[in-house]
Amino acid sequence: RDWSSDVCSSDLPRPVLDLIENDTRACQWCEFFEATEDDEEGGFCHRYAPIPSVAGVTPHAQWPYTLYSDWCGDFERIH
């Protein structure tokens, strides 16, 4: 996907726009990213263990949600 069409170049510093335009170091290209079928904007990061939650009746764990264009700093390109 070409993310440059989703952002206004005047809103972002040039280095950030370069990363988006070149599809580098973004969650969508990371080994740990799991896209979801019903979400065109993001998915789940499996870099670290899921986050425990006690919200609701049943305790559960949830993977952190990230956008395709996010980057946590631990990017690892898909092999």
Side-chain angles (χ1 to χ4, degrees):
R1 180 173 176 178
D2 179 10
W3 291 101
S4 59
S5 63
D6 293 350
V7 295
C8 177
S9 60
S10 63
D11 294 341
L12 297 171
R14 184 75 237 169
V16 173
L17 189 58
D18 285 343
L19 286 174
I20 293 170
E21 288 174 349
N22 295 323
D23 284 332
T24 58
R25 295 187 179 187
C27 289
Q28 70 171 344
W29 302 113
C30 183
E31 181 74 27
F32 305 111
F33 183 74
E34 175 195 1
T36 58
E37 293 180 18
D38 57 343
D39 188 343
E40 295 180 9
E41 296 182 11
F44 298 101
C45 176
H46 293 265
R47 175 65 180 99
Y48 296 103
I51 301 167
S53 175
V54 291
V57 177
T58 307
H60 63 281
Q62 180 175 338
W63 297 101
Y65 178 84
T66 64
L67 298 175
Y68 285 109
S69 58
D70 285 346
W71 177 53
C72 69
D74 286 338
F75 173 82
E76 191 170 308
R77 184 162 296 282
I78 297 172
H79 301 119

